[in-house]
Amino acid sequence: MSVLEQVDGPSDLRRLDPEELGRLCGEIREFLIRKVAATGGHLGPNLGVVELTVALHRVFDSPRDPIVFDTGHQSYVHKILTGRRDQFDGLRTRGGLSGYPCRAESEHDVVESSHATASLAYSDGLAKAFSLRGETDRTVVTVIGDGALTGGMAWEALNNIAAAKDRPMVIVVNDNGRSYSPTIGGIAERLGALRLQPAYEKAMDRTKSALTARKDRVGKAIYTVLHGIKAGVKDVVSPQELFADLGLKYMGPVDGHNLAATEAALRLAKDFGGPVVVHVVTRKGMGYVHAENNEADQMHATGVIDPETGKPLTPSSSVDWTSVFSEELCAIGAERDDVVAITAAMAGPTGLAAFGERFPDRMYDVGIAEQHAVASAAGLALGGLHPVVAVYSTFLNRAFDQLLMDVALLRQPVTMVLDRSGVTGPDGASHNGMWDLSLTGIIPGVRVAAPRDAVTLRQELREAVSIDDGPTVVRFPKGSVGDPIPALATSEDGVDRVYGPGDAEVLVVAVGSLVGTAIAAARELEAGGVSVDVLDPRWVYPVPASIVEASRRRRLVVTVEDNGLHGGVGSAVSACLDSAAVRVDRIALGIPQQFLDHASRGEILADAGLTPEGIARSVRSRLI
């Protein structure tokens, strides 16, 4: 029996000797490589935290001592050690393990949002609750990466945590110098300086040993003086201690792959009885040569791969939405030197890396700081430039106030590009981009485009950056772009009719990537004797006037969108029809207003009735 097979819970770890623990860490890495290769998932982050997670569960009593993982993509080892080893064959599939902490799975999972920088705020609240309840023997543990420390919310929490000297909290900074890509900015430079100055600690240790070995008062006095000027010495050897300046006890840096050293540091931190930062240095992708040698992101996230080669088992030959955007933005950048790009630590995943390589002076990576990204974009626009801010749709949620008050209120020309809009699927509830049309639809003056194919993505991106009197949004989903869908006719305000004679009894207004699905539904209905026109508004906000006019004298108007039904395009179209006194039966098809469990994109769309068969079924049921 392997060591891993003997570990069914955290208590089993405490019975292992050092040799068995070493074997366990190797077996966990082998397990991760084999299982994640078969399903896809976050491989690099988890390979990097094996020893750290083992140490955490040996030192702390989870779940009584709650362990809060920031973002949570590095929680696979935690899942393995808390009784879920046998469920990894279903990782990130419907009914299987979530790729993030999940409260429904285990009492050891405290939170489950996969948005970065929130962990310290959760932990601050937990520590306050334990204090008020008199549970002073419980320690709150936070695991946060150096990448997440580029987000302002983390420092808002640290500001509060530092003021509570008697609340037991251990803040583990998992420092691998990366988020998706290398961490940038002043915080990264400070942590890097601390990480690279082990000579200082060694010198202090040698001095302490030499002086305190003397039994006379002189030796002790000299060491006391030296200890008193320690902060000043460290300011000379490395930059000023980042956390000590906030009043937080700092320990480190510790080699996060030395299990004994990591465990010793965590025990000292636990015994301190107040907030302590333990700076642990790890290597993303540790122990898997293909991840370690992957310069882009150390195999942060993978699809299904061959574990021996690290290569995808079925390489995709189709073009994806992100690469079409990337290519067109580079073309625009070559034509216009006022166009600049902003990423929140995700240049590669959002398609901005190529722009940054071609125009390095016009590309800004602000770290995991979406609020700052959008407010900074407003400043760039005020300075005469046209910023393009590319983020995942789900992360626009965090910057809504800045888009509303710092961009739209000032009528600044900022283009938001929302990748992974609609349903993303396997990453679960907090990654689905099903909120952006509801959020942007309430912003005065915003214009929102939803391209249906590669051609319209290129067109609408160019139209967006040509607008100079307010914000624009271009949204598209994850995955491959489908075949081109030509327009049969185009109205004066830019609405494309993509199917039907123009005077059919049923009008379908379809949004973005669901245009093709709506056309397939129209064909099915037509085969059953129901005539259908399908319109693609291209720009969904504000609702084009021709959509309202086209809705007159119809038997039924149907809206189809991959957004939450509340406050989406269906709601906006319906409101415009009411305002224009257009009395027509209507159906709004979209995503139910609920948090969706992880599953494939196709499975979720089918559940919501957003398939050709589902749309046709909804139309037939209303026409009966």
Side-chain angles (χ1 to χ4, degrees):
M1 180 180 290
S2 68
V3 180
L4 181 56
E5 290 174 316
Q6 301 172 47
V7 177
D8 295 316
S11 60
D12 295 326
L13 292 172
R14 299 172 196 128
R15 294 194 289 267
L16 301 179
D17 61 35
E19 181 183 350
E20 290 172 317
L21 288 168
R23 286 166 49 202
L24 173 66
C25 291
E27 290 172 7
I28 290 173
R29 283 195 169 88
E30 292 174 3
F31 179 91
L32 285 170
I33 293 166
R34 185 173 70 255
K35 296 298 184 180
V36 178
T39 63
H42 290 96
L43 182 57
N46 286 285
L47 291 172
V49 297
V50 174
E51 290 83 3
L52 171 58
T53 311
V54 170
L56 285 168
H57 279 294
R58 278 174 57 82
V59 173
F60 299 99
D61 182 21
S62 174
R64 181 164 180 76
D65 294 330
I67 302 175
V68 181
F69 291 91
D70 195 277
T71 309
H73 56 242
Q74 78 286 51
S75 63
Y76 293 8
V77 185
H78 165 77
K79 289 174 183 269
I80 292 169
L81 299 176
T82 53
R84 287 168 275 179
R85 180 183 67 246
D86 295 337
Q87 301 174 50
F88 266 78
D89 288 339
L91 179 66
R92 301 173 75 246
T93 61
R94 167 165 281 179
L97 279 182
S98 168
Y100 294 92
C102 177
R103 287 164 57 84
E105 284 180 10
S106 172
E107 63 179 349
H108 295 279
D109 290 3
V110 185
V111 300
E112 57 192 74
S113 171
S114 56
H115 286 195
T117 77
S119 61
L120 289 167
Y122 279 127
S123 297
D124 177 53
L126 278 166
K128 288 172 178 172
F130 294 161
S131 177
L132 284 173
R133 291 166 60 89
E135 299 173 345
T136 56
D137 59 336
R138 302 181 70 179
T139 301
V140 181
V141 184
T142 312
V143 181
I144 182 168
D146 58 296
L149 286 178
T150 60
M153 188 175 173
W155 293 93
E156 293 173 25
L158 284 171
N159 180 55
N160 283 269
I161 290 168
K165 307 299 184 186
D166 58 347
R167 292 183 195 137
M169 295 184 68
V170 175
I171 301 162
V172 179
V173 176
N174 174 34
D175 179 9
N176 57 28
R178 308 181 71 90
S179 47
Y180 282 86
S181 53
T183 311
I184 56 84
I187 302 298
E189 291 174 4
R190 287 292 184 89
L191 283 175
L194 288 170
R195 187 192 314 138
L196 297 172
Q197 292 293 342
Y200 161 77
E201 297 293 350
K202 291 178 181 177
M204 288 299 295
D205 287 343
R206 286 196 299 269
T207 302
K208 177 180 179 180
S209 297
L211 292 177
T212 56
R214 296 178 58 169
K215 302 301 182 183
D216 57 12
R217 294 182 179 179
V218 175
K220 293 181 180 178
I222 293 174
Y223 177 70
T224 300
V225 171
L226 286 177
H227 187 75
I229 63 171
K230 175 179 178 178
V233 172
K234 194 153 192 172
D235 282 354
V236 174
V237 178
S238 69
Q240 185 175 330
E241 285 190 74
L242 193 60
F243 302 102
D245 285 348
L246 281 175
L248 291 165
K249 181 68 176 174
Y250 169 85
M251 295 178 61
V254 179
D255 179 357
H257 300 300
N258 183 322
L259 181 57
T262 303
E263 184 176 330
L266 292 174
R267 290 194 187 281
L268 286 171
K270 181 180 181 180
D271 291 343
F272 182 69
V276 181
V277 173
V278 181
H279 180 189
V280 177
V281 179
T282 62
R283 290 168 58 196
K284 197 172 183 179
M286 174 71 175
Y288 186 44
V289 65
H290 303 300
E292 292 181 355
N293 293 338
N294 183 286
E295 293 184 7
D297 63 4
Q298 261 73 67
M299 298 183 77
H300 177 88
T302 74
V304 177
I305 61 172
D306 180 345
E308 298 301 321
T309 65
K311 302 292 185 182
L313 284 181
T314 54
S316 175
S317 57
S318 57
V319 177
D320 64 82
W321 290 92
T322 306
S323 60
V324 173
F325 157 67
S326 177
E327 184 179 273
E328 193 63 20
L329 183 64
C330 286
I332 293 169
E335 299 164 14
R336 290 181 48 178
D337 60 9
D338 65 322
V339 171
V340 297
I342 301 177
T343 177
M346 298 176 69
T350 60
L352 291 183
F355 187 93
E357 290 170 4
R358 286 193 62 180
F359 313 107
D361 294 340
R362 290 154 55 192
M363 165 76 170
Y364 303 99
D365 185 343
V366 301
I368 304 178
E370 292 85 2
Q371 291 173 293
H372 171 66
V374 176
S376 177
L380 285 162
L382 287 167
L385 302 175
H386 191 112
V388 175
V389 184
V391 296
Y392 283 6
S393 169
T394 184
F395 299 136
L396 174 66
N397 304 358
R398 317 191 78 164
F400 171 75
D401 183 61
Q402 286 68 37
L403 184 58
L404 178 68
M405 292 298 175
D406 300 317
V407 176
L409 180 62
L410 277 60
R411 298 180 175 85
Q412 291 306 299
V414 173
T415 296
M416 300 294 305
V417 174
L418 305 183
D419 202 324
R420 273 70 164 176
S421 287
V423 173
T424 55
D427 282 325
S430 58
H431 262 58
N432 286 319
M434 57 176 282
W435 321 103
D436 59 79
L437 291 177
S438 301
L439 292 172
T440 56
I442 63 175
I443 297 176
V446 75
R447 299 167 177 90
V448 180
R452 66 179 179 265
D453 56 19
V455 172
T456 53
L457 172 52
R458 294 179 189 277
Q459 291 172 346
E460 289 163 39
L461 180 62
R462 285 183 172 272
E463 292 166 14
V465 298
S466 71
I467 292 171
D468 60 7
D469 62 349
T472 53
V473 177
V474 180
R475 76 185 298 268
F476 50 79
K478 180 180 181 179
S480 301
V481 181
D483 295 332
I485 302 174
L488 304 176
T490 302
S491 67
E492 290 185 2
D493 57 358
V495 175
D496 287 343
R497 175 163 53 87
V498 293
Y499 188 84
D503 58 355
E505 59 181 319
V506 174
L507 175 67
V508 176
V509 179
V511 173
S513 64
L514 291 184
V515 170
T517 306
I519 291 173
R523 291 194 176 107
E524 182 177 327
L525 288 164
E526 188 177 57
V530 179
S531 63
V532 180
D533 287 330
V534 178
L535 299 185
D536 171 15
R538 298 177 70 255
W539 289 84
V540 297
Y541 296 142
V543 175
S546 63
I547 294 287
V548 176
E549 291 306 310
S551 299
R552 299 183 188 277
R553 297 177 298 280
R554 305 281 183 167
R555 187 176 173 190
L556 177 66
V557 173
V558 182
T559 55
V560 180
E561 62 188 301
D562 55 351
N563 187 79
L565 284 168
H566 184 80
V569 172
S571 297
V573 169
S574 187
C576 287
L577 294 179
D578 287 341
S579 180
V582 177
R583 308 301 180 200
V584 61
D585 196 11
R586 309 158 197 171
I587 303 175
L589 300 178
I591 301 172
Q593 213 68 40
Q594 62 191 54
F595 294 114
L596 306 173
D597 289 337
H598 60 280
S600 72
R601 184 171 186 268
E603 288 170 332
I604 293 174
L605 290 175
D607 289 346
L610 297 176
T611 61
E613 300 77 19
I615 295 169
R617 185 168 55 249
S618 294
V619 171
R620 283 193 295 262
S621 67
R622 186 61 64 90
L623 294 177
I624 293 174

